[in-house]
């Protein structure tokens, strides 16, 4: 948040606050893009089934469904030769699982399974092909239970950053001793919000009249400025924690000096 004193007299203080737009667009855009990318690329179901119902139905099918597309591959059971891990290639932190057919190797794309689980799945497929008495085999993975919540959380976090910016494009704070009035004007792309209070009601104009509200994340903290009213109805200068520690201290110092807070 960048602070600019537009006007200062013994009876009037007018401040302009502008958020660091580039950072909010950057983080908001990255979060939204990351959430969309996660859902598009990793949110899917993968199902490999084989049926052995003699003498007419002996087949295998691989179905992969995502939010954008669905793929279905079918084989006669005799065309499936086995399964193995491709140890010459890595997929994330594990090796890809390959289905071996007469027409070549087909990857079974699994996200949650590590090499140990994939090796176990390959063993299940090979055991099914060797055991003519086993009627059916199913291998299934559904990543949507964690990719959708995580992706939506990232999208929502990015949207919050952008909404904060749109709501607080410019904040004008006016403290007028002549009219005993404090006015907060939040001018954003979505319109303007005006909040007013009596200057004399700001916590009795004592040292607790203006405080810093801190929001601590996993790696950093952000801040907001609070005008504490004697009616216990607090006024926040910004719609959310958009101040840095430095800008918060500068803003409080300017207000406290004007109000002559002890």
């Amino acid at each position: 948040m960048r602070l600019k004193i537009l006007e200062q007299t013994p009876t009037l203080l007018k401040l302009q606050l502008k958020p660091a737009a580039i950072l909010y667009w950057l983080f908001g855009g990255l979060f939204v893009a990351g959430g969309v990318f996660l859902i598009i690329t990793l949110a899917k179901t993968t199902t490999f089934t084989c049926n052995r119902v003699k003498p007419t139905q002996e087949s295998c099918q691989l179905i992969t469904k995502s939010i954008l597309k669905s793929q279905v591959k079918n084989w006669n059971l005799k065309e499936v030769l086995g399964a193995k891990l491709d140890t010459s290639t890595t997929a994330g932190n594990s090796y890809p699982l390959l289905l071996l057919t007469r027409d070549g190797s087909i990857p079974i794309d699994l996200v949650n399974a590590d090499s140990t689980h994939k090796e176990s799945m390959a063993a299940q497929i090979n055991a099914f092909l060797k055991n003519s008495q086993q009627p059916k085999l199913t291998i299934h993975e559904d990543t949507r239970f964690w990719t959708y919540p995580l992706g939506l959380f990232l999208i929502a976090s990015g949207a919050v950053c952008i909404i904060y910016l749109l709501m607080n494009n410019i904040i004008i704070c006016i403290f007028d001793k002549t009219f005993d009035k404090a006015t907060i004007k939040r001018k954003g792309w979505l319109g303007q919000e005006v909040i007013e209070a009596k200057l004399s009601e700001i916590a009795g104009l004592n040292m607790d009249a203006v405080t810093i509200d801190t929001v601590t994340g996993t790696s950093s903290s952000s801040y907001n400025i609070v005008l504490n009213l004697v009616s216990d109805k607090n006024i926040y200068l910004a719609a959310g924690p958009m101040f840095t520690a430095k800008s918060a201290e500068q803003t409080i110092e300017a207000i406290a000096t004007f109000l002559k807070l002890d």
Side-chain angles (χ1 to χ4, degrees):
M1 191 74 77
R2 297 188 297 272
L3 170 67
K4 182 179 181 180
I5 299 178
L6 299 178
E7 186 176 353
Q8 185 171 14
T9 69
T11 59
L12 181 68
L13 175 65
K14 190 174 183 180
L15 306 177
Q16 175 183 280
L17 301 166
K18 294 187 70 174
I22 294 178
L23 291 178
Y24 275 85
W25 279 118
L26 176 62
F27 284 111
L30 286 176
F31 283 144
V32 171
V36 172
F37 179 79
L38 180 69
I39 291 175
I40 289 176
T41 58
L42 297 182
K44 58 186 177 181
T45 60
T46 301
T47 305
F48 176 71
T49 58
C50 286
N51 291 288
R52 185 185 281 117
V53 182
K54 295 182 179 182
T56 58
Q57 189 177 359
E58 292 187 332
S59 62
C60 292
Q61 185 179 66
L62 176 62
I63 302 175
T64 304
K65 294 182 179 180
S66 67
I67 194 171
L68 295 180
K69 62 181 180 179
S70 177
Q71 291 183 332
V72 180
K73 295 180 180 179
N74 295 288
W75 298 272
N76 186 284
L77 185 57
K78 295 179 180 180
E79 295 177 314
V80 180
L81 306 178
K84 70 173 185 177
L85 266 63
D86 182 5
T87 56
S88 63
T89 309
T90 57
N93 295 323
S94 64
Y95 299 117
L97 175 61
L98 296 180
L99 182 68
L100 308 178
T101 72
R102 295 187 186 276
D103 296 327
S105 300
I106 306 297
I108 301 179
D109 191 10
L110 301 171
V111 177
N112 294 335
D114 58 15
S115 293
T116 301
H117 287 96
K118 291 178 181 178
E119 193 170 9
S120 173
M121 293 174 184
Q124 292 179 48
I125 295 172
N126 293 328
F128 173 82
L129 295 174
K130 292 178 181 179
N131 184 3
S132 60
Q133 302 303 313
Q134 185 175 347
K136 187 173 183 178
L137 169 71
T138 300
I139 292 176
H140 178 71
E141 179 186 78
D142 188 347
T143 63
R144 296 172 300 177
F145 73 94
W146 65 269
T147 50
Y148 277 145
L150 180 57
L152 292 174
F153 172 77
L154 291 174
I155 293 172
S157 299
V160 167
C161 290
I162 295 173
I163 290 172
Y164 274 168
L165 180 63
L166 296 180
M167 292 178 63
N168 297 276
N169 191 30
I170 296 177
I171 302 172
I172 302 296
C173 304
I174 303 173
F175 300 92
D176 193 330
K177 292 181 180 178
T178 302
F179 294 97
D180 189 28
K181 181 186 292 186
T183 305
I184 311 301
K185 297 181 180 179
R186 299 175 186 159
K187 299 179 180 180
W189 294 4
L190 303 179
Q192 176 174 293
E193 181 182 11
V194 179
I195 303 173
E196 295 182 340
K198 287 187 177 181
L199 205 60
S200 56
E201 290 185 351
I202 302 178
L205 298 181
N206 58 37
M207 61 182 299
D208 296 324
V210 186
T211 57
I212 296 178
D213 181 50
T214 304
V215 177
T216 303
T218 55
S219 58
S220 62
S221 297
S222 53
Y223 309 88
N224 204 345
I225 305 299
V226 187
L227 304 180
N228 299 296
L229 305 183
V230 293
S231 60
D232 293 331
K233 292 183 179 180
N234 300 332
I235 297 176
Y236 291 82
L237 297 194
M242 305 182 70
F243 289 81
T244 62
K246 182 178 180 181
S247 63
E249 290 290 347
Q250 290 175 339
T251 304
I252 278 194
E253 182 179 355
I255 297 173
T257 299
F258 173 75
L259 297 179
K260 297 180 181 180
L261 303 179
D262 298 326

